[in-house]
Amino acid sequence: MTACTPELQQLGEDGKPLPKLYDLANQDSATVQFRVLDAINALRSSAGQSSVSLNAKLTAAAATHSRDMSLQNRPWHFGSDGSSPLDRVERVGYEQQLVGEAISETFETELETIAAWMKKPNTRNVLLDPMAREIGFSWYQESTGKIWWTLVTGGPGLSQEAVMVE
């Protein structure tokens, strides 16, 4: 009979259910990254965009920023040293153009985070940007369970001809 007993949810001070801990320490990071890649490519395909691939340098830039946001305790695009997303991809030696960056501070899974990004025009545009050819995706999880997600997109720069065309 104990299997039929419903599990009671813990409630926070505000009366809302506390989030369940999504423990990334027990996840294989490559599995998480490829799950994200598959989800983003499915969304891009539905939007008529080309697929993207994972890039180790962009992932390194994303990982650095996720940890730094945790240290700063705020989700924003600038590092504690004043660095921008462009600075971070240059530091890791990424030779193509930065296309965009999406960030989040949450207790949600990677797929729930992508769903939230798709609901907002600015982050949806980062995921679906036609210039994107590669992504970097990483996170940092605090002992409290809070997760700091960073997704960075990159691709080929515009040629001089493309810039000059009206």
Side-chain angles (χ1 to χ4, degrees):
M1 269 311 199
T2 59
C4 296
T5 305
E7 183 180 325
L8 296 176
Q9 278 194 318
Q10 289 186 315
L11 301 178
E13 292 178 11
D14 59 1
K16 294 181 182 178
L18 291 173
K20 290 187 178 188
L21 179 64
Y22 180 59
D23 189 3
L24 283 161
N26 293 326
Q27 302 274 333
D28 175 57
S29 61
T31 300
V32 173
Q33 288 173 328
F34 281 105
R35 196 166 33 238
V36 167
L37 180 66
D38 289 345
I40 289 173
N41 280 332
L43 293 166
R44 289 178 64 84
S45 177
S46 294
Q49 299 300 332
S50 61
S51 63
V52 292
S53 60
L54 279 172
N55 178 283
K57 290 180 180 180
L58 290 177
T59 296
T64 299
H65 192 56
S66 291
R67 184 167 184 79
D68 191 47
M69 285 190 297
S70 170
L71 293 171
Q72 296 181 75
N73 196 32
R74 63 179 169 180
W76 75 322
H77 294 282
F78 293 95
S80 56
D81 61 356
S83 63
S84 70
L86 181 59
D87 295 328
R88 290 188 294 276
V89 299
E90 286 178 354
R91 283 181 190 162
V92 296
Y94 186 67
E95 296 175 357
Q96 296 198 59
Q97 177 180 318
L98 169 72
V99 174
E101 179 179 78
I103 58 173
S104 182
E105 162 198 24
T106 183
F107 288 91
E108 297 175 323
T109 69
E110 64 277 2
L111 297 180
E112 291 169 319
T113 300
I114 290 171
W117 284 338
M118 286 298 289
K119 290 179 184 176
K120 296 181 179 175
N122 59 339
T123 48
R124 181 176 52 247
N125 290 341
V126 170
L127 300 179
L128 302 180
D129 192 308
M131 292 291 297
R133 296 291 181 269
E134 299 174 311
I135 66 166
F137 179 75
S138 194
W139 60 89
Y140 178 76
Q141 187 166 30
E142 297 177 354
S143 61
T144 62
K146 184 189 291 186
I147 308 167
W148 301 85
W149 301 103
T150 305
L151 175 111
V152 182
T153 59
L158 296 173
S159 69
Q160 288 292 6
E161 288 179 14
V163 173
M164 294 181 184
V165 173
E166 291 184 34

